[in-house]
Amino acid sequence: MPEYKLIYFNAKGRAELIRWIFAYGDIAYTDERIEWCDWPARKADIPGGKLPLLVVDDKTLPQSLAIARYLAKQAGLVPQDDLEAAFCDALADTLSEMMHEVYKIIFSPNDEEEKKRQRKEELFPNVISPILTRLNKQLEEREWLVSNEVTWADLMFGLVMGWLEKKDPEMLNGFPAIQQHVNKILALPKIKQWVEEQPDTAF
Ligand SMILES: N[C@@H](CCC(=O)N[C@@H](CS)C(=O)NCC(=O)O)C(=O)O
């Protein structure tokens, strides 16, 4: 097994799925967390100037989803079947696009009241609800989202939906199959252990 170092901020953000995959696969790694105040000095030396990065022995891999996909293979979380593997990629892209819309609101300069209104009246009906409706239907008919066993797409789904539900606790009301799936993923022993032990960060 190569030596792995994950470099990110002291936050969950785009690195948390990668940490979940490390945890699920019981893969050893160094979890380097850069503080915001140190970032300007570090950025100049970072290829591409963005995080996360995965250092694999002497090579540096950028892009969170490419890193997640690579490690998911090591952890047995990518289906052998090429089409199923592509469905995992597709779901990861869908969730990533959805989170892009969520972050646009969360990091906007608007006050909390307005952000809450935007989430409820714009984001939920136009972006999140159509995805939840489709996936809830899918989960009524199958045990895992893509394959007949857990994949990295299920982990990403559990991570993202669990996080959104914490922010808006009523969000998954009306989507019982999704609620159940999120709980199932959060109860996977290695994930449960990581979530309990991880550093407490705001994002
Ligand atoms: N598509 C990239 C986006 C990376 C990205 O935008 N990273 C942000 C943190 S989430 C960053 O490094 N921001 C600091 C900066 O741009 O100076 C990925 O998924 O890894």
Side-chain angles (χ1 to χ4, degrees):
M1 193 58 83
E3 204 160 296
Y4 292 123
K5 178 163 74 171
L6 173 66
I7 309 176
Y8 194 60
F9 302 102
N10 187 19
K12 297 182 184 73
R14 290 182 200 264
E16 197 55 19
L17 173 64
I18 298 167
R19 297 190 186 109
W20 276 36
I21 295 170
F22 271 130
Y24 181 90
D26 225 349
I27 300 169
Y29 73 109
T30 302
D31 188 11
E32 183 179 338
R33 290 165 180 255
I34 298 177
E35 295 297 339
W36 282 111
C37 56
D38 298 325
W39 176 235
R42 292 289 304 275
K43 186 175 163 90
D45 296 331
I46 300 275
K50 299 263 184 211
L51 299 176
L53 293 176
L54 181 71
V55 185
V56 184
D57 291 331
D58 57 351
K59 297 192 175 75
T60 301
L61 178 65
Q63 292 292 349
S64 56
L65 288 183
I67 297 169
R69 193 178 298 114
Y70 161 73
L71 289 170
K73 271 193 190 157
Q74 317 291 306
L77 285 165
V78 175
Q80 295 290 320
D81 180 80
D82 285 347
L83 186 55
E84 283 187 357
F87 274 113
C88 286
D89 295 345
L91 186 51
D93 285 337
T94 298
L95 295 174
S96 176
E97 283 173 9
M98 185 188 85
M99 286 312 286
H100 182 72
E101 299 303 318
V102 173
Y103 284 133
K104 271 205 300 210
I105 293 178
I106 287 181
F107 293 118
S108 79
N110 296 328
D111 62 35
E112 281 310 314
E113 205 49 40
E114 170 60 7
K115 287 183 190 181
K116 204 165 174 190
R117 188 203 63 76
Q118 284 180 304
R119 288 207 302 273
K120 195 168 170 204
E121 293 175 19
E122 294 163 19
L123 184 71
F124 186 78
N126 298 332
V127 178
I128 299 182
S129 180
I131 296 173
L132 292 183
T133 303
R134 181 165 58 85
L135 294 180
N136 194 72
K137 201 153 185 278
Q138 213 165 303
L139 284 167
E140 281 168 354
E141 284 153 24
R142 50 185 313 148
E143 199 187 340
W144 301 99
L145 279 164
V146 172
S147 189
N148 54 9
E149 55 193 348
V150 60
T151 67
W152 69 290
D154 292 287
L155 294 198
M156 184 169 181
F157 179 80
L159 172 64
V160 163
M161 294 302 164
W163 187 84
L164 286 176
E165 197 190 10
K166 258 194 191 158
K167 211 137 187 60
D168 291 310
E170 73 287 357
M171 198 189 75
L172 297 184
N173 292 352
F175 301 99
I178 288 188
Q179 179 73 77
Q180 202 181 357
H181 200 60
V182 170
N183 292 342
K184 181 161 89 175
I185 291 158
L186 290 170
L188 291 169
K190 295 282 179 190
I191 298 300
K192 187 167 186 280
Q193 187 183 350
W194 168 251
V195 168
E196 282 166 8
E197 288 172 1
Q198 73 189 162
D200 185 21
T201 56
F203 286 99

